[in-house]
Each structure stands twice: as C-alpha cells, then as structure tokens.
Amino acid sequence: MIEIQRIREQQDEVLNGLSKRNIDATKEVEQILILDKEWRGQKTALQNLEAELNSISKQIGQLFSAGKKAEAQEMKAKTLELKTAVQSVKKIEEGLENEIKSLLYTLPNVCTSDVPKGIDESANEIIEEHGTSPSKEKAKTPHWDLAKTYNLIDFEMGVKVTGAGFPFYRGQGARLQRALVSFFLDEASNAGYEEYVSPLMVNENSGKGTGQLPDKEGQMYYIPADDLYMIPTAEVPLTNIYRDVLLPDANFSIKLTGHTPCFRREAGSYGKDVRGLNRLHQFEKVEIVRIETPENAENALQEMIRHVKKLLEALGLQYRVLRLCGGDTGFAAAITYDFEVYSAAQDKWLEVSSVSRFDTFQSNRLRLRFKDENKKSRLCHTLNGSALALPRIMAALLENNQCAEGIKIPECLTRYTGFEMITKKG
RNA sequence: GGAGAAUUGGCAGAGUGGUCGAUUGCGGUAGUCUUGAAAACUAUUGUACCGAGAGGUACCGGGGGUUCGAAUCCCUCAUUCUCCGCCA
C-alpha cells in the first residue's frame, strides 16, 4: 500500500511511477486527496466532540462524589445530544477512512525510475546474458520425456492422487530435488541468511501484509474451515515474522531464507506453457528475504542479484537477467529483476528467479518500522527473491545435461545426490 | 475435543465503574557525586493519529455491547498455562 503522505507530498512522482505500468491513476489519486482532506476535517471535529464529552463526564463524576445528585442528573441530559453527534460524526469519519483505504489497496506500488515503461513482457529489458547451452541436437529430448525414461517424475500418478500440476518425484529425481534444496540453502546460509522452516499456511492478516490479499485472492488455495491460506511463496510467512515490529534503531540488516513448497492455483493458465514442470500447482522453492533501511535497500538488491547469479553459474546453466517493465512488474514490487535459464530442448527461456525491491509497500501494510537517529519511526524496506525455484531448474538440468550415458549431475550437487549420473538403472 | 485459570507499558507486577495512559520494582536514557567505575540520589523513559500551535483523541490480547463515564461489568473470538481425552 502506497503511503498516504507520499501521495500528499509527491503526487507527481507517484503518478509518474504508476504510469510505468501503463496506469493512469490521476483520478484515483485526486479522489484520495479529496477524501483525505475531508477525513482530516471530520477527524478533528470528532476529536473535539469527544474532548467535550470527556470533560462533561469528568464533571459528572465530581458532582456525584460531592453528593450533588440533582446537578449531575442535569449534566447527564446534556451528554445525550453530544453522544449522538459523536456517533454520527464517527460513522462519517470511519466511512471516509475505509473509502480511502480501499482506494489505496487498489493502487499497485510506484515503480522506480529505472523501470522501463511497458505493457507486457515484450518491453522487458535484457540486462545481461551468460554461459552457453548444448546444441539442440545434443539436448534434443524435453524433460517430460526424460522424466519418463529415467523414472524421475510421474505426472500421471500425481493426477490420480491429487490432480494436474501435482507431480510425484521419485528415485533419482526425488534425490536430485533434495540435493538442489540443500545446495541452495547451504549457499544462502553461507551468504549470511538465517535459515527458517516456516508454516505452510497463513492467516488473512499475513496475506494482507505482503500484498497477496486482497489483490491475488484467487491465486491462493484457501481452507474455509480454518480461514487459512496455503502459502504461494515462503516470502509470505518469512516477511510476516516482522509484521507489527518496531526495530529499536537503524543498525540492522535482516536476512532470512527458507525452503517451502509453494501452492498456486494458477487460475487461467493453460496451453503448452503448462507442459511438464513448466507450471505447477505445487513446487519447491528456496526464498531469500531481506529487511533493510531505505538507504541500504538498493545495495541489498544488488547483493541478492549477485547471489542468484552465483547459483546459476555453479549449476552451469546459460542464463539471462531481465529488468521487468512496469506492466510486467508484480503488484507490490517497485522494481523486479527476473532470471531465466535457457532450455535447448524446448528452445525456450524459463523463468527461475524473481528478485524484487518492495520499498515501503509491504512494510506500510505490515507496520514494520525502525527508529532512526532522530528517534523517529520510519518504515523499513523489504526485498525478496527466489534462490531458486526448483522445477524449471530441474527441467533445464535434465534437458541440457543429457548425454549417451544418462544425465550428468553438476559437480556442485554430487556431494548432495551421492551420484554423478542419472541412469536407467537408478 | 472437554474442564479450569489467565492475557495490563521493554520485563516483572498492582489496579473490580470516575481525578488511570495507568501504583511500584527492574531495565533504558540523561544528570549529580567520583580520578574512573560501581553504589546512591535526581530527572526522564509507550505507540499512532488530528492540530500551524496550544493542545487534543485513541489504544490495558482482538472485536462488539452496557454506562454520562470502562483496564475494571456483559457478550464473542484468539492466544497461553494446568488437568483430561485423542494422536504423528
């Protein structure tokens, strides 16, 4: 949620940032400012009425204790009028507040000046590209066929037991998955991130805190009996650890990591993008989350980008880094960098990581603040990134490393898998 | 799941209808004293919002209610602890 003060004080900058997403929010912003002015007037009026009521109540108390019952009764009559006035002004004030809030909730985050303007992925900027992939002749089989040949992933079994998009990994496939998780977690720990095992379901407040609710309601699995949501990413529980937190000083840099399954309904997805591991309802991911001062946020972002690059290089995958245009940037993010690995067999770039700065968009909802040098409360900045999402990494590894003997495991993983080659015998 | 008890400021812990944003202790901060430190003493020490300011309003687990007035009474939800039941 954009800070109301920011809209009051930097209206042009806000509108400009939103225009990167091809959104003209002029009307909404004007409406918010009108309502805000009205709200402040009503708030002041309400508080004045309450002050008067408080003071009369106090006098009544004094009269009673002095034994002057008749006078007290007389005073009581006066409060009646005030009380109804308080009630009606309060109703108006609360109505305005809710109206402002729901308008604010509809506005996505303000993009930074680096974000290119654009409607969809075609306007994303390719920042850099590294590594090489085998030729299409060498890496000719797509991962869904390899998964079958080597008994690594069973999609049909998943359909039987649960439904489409919930595959079983088995044998060396399951083992490879576990190896990737361990590798990613160890790398995150080595980089100073504290490892967490988090709940996989969250309450409504947590969903609101990180911006999944109310915007992406339909994308999460919901359990009505207990009013809980299955997490779409570890970002939600990890960031919400710091909901309603006021850090005592500016001397902090909070780095968290966690591995969780992620549950996404992916309503509206279809076609060949969903083939194999490309799009699932349940998948594994290692997430890194940071909470920083506004001054440190950009540095942290660059550090996270380097971290992800290091992982992809260790895995020996060809990858590129994209700076997302406004239209492709998520609702809550101020700027997002996507990482894609190249799959020769599919002749496609597959998104495997998304690293974002949220500035104060999440912390405003979370009420996550710190005390600055002047003892003033300020909102923290939050950031997060995938490091990494497993399925497409798995797909690219299987496809790019296929050879006559089987599928070669990258060196950085063999200490976790216990084998160097996936073979038909297992 | 059943029964009982509890939830108050950074922590501990008073407060059962009015002068309580809240006694007190510990902790924190500043000062006095001291060569320095400790001790002692003094002062200060929650958050948010409205207001140009003076000042005001709200918050005692969350929400609702009774009352002129609620930390205090009522309803409801959540959480914690104890006992019982069930169970990986």
Side-chain angles (χ1 to χ4, degrees), chain A residues 89-108:
Chain A
V89 175
K90 194 170 196 174
K91 210 168 177 184
I92 294 167
E93 184 264 336
E94 281 173 353
L96 286 166
E97 193 178 10
N98 287 334
E99 225 176 310
I100 293 166
K101 216 171 207 176
S102 56
L103 270 173
L104 283 173
Y105 266 127
T106 63
L107 292 179

Side-chain angles (χ1 to χ4, degrees), chain A residues 389-407:
Chain A
L390 280 270
R392 295 179 195 147
I393 289 286
M394 187 102 153
L397 284 179
L398 296 180
E399 288 165 352
N400 292 3
N401 293 357
Q402 54 186 297
C403 56
E405 301 81 41
I407 298 164

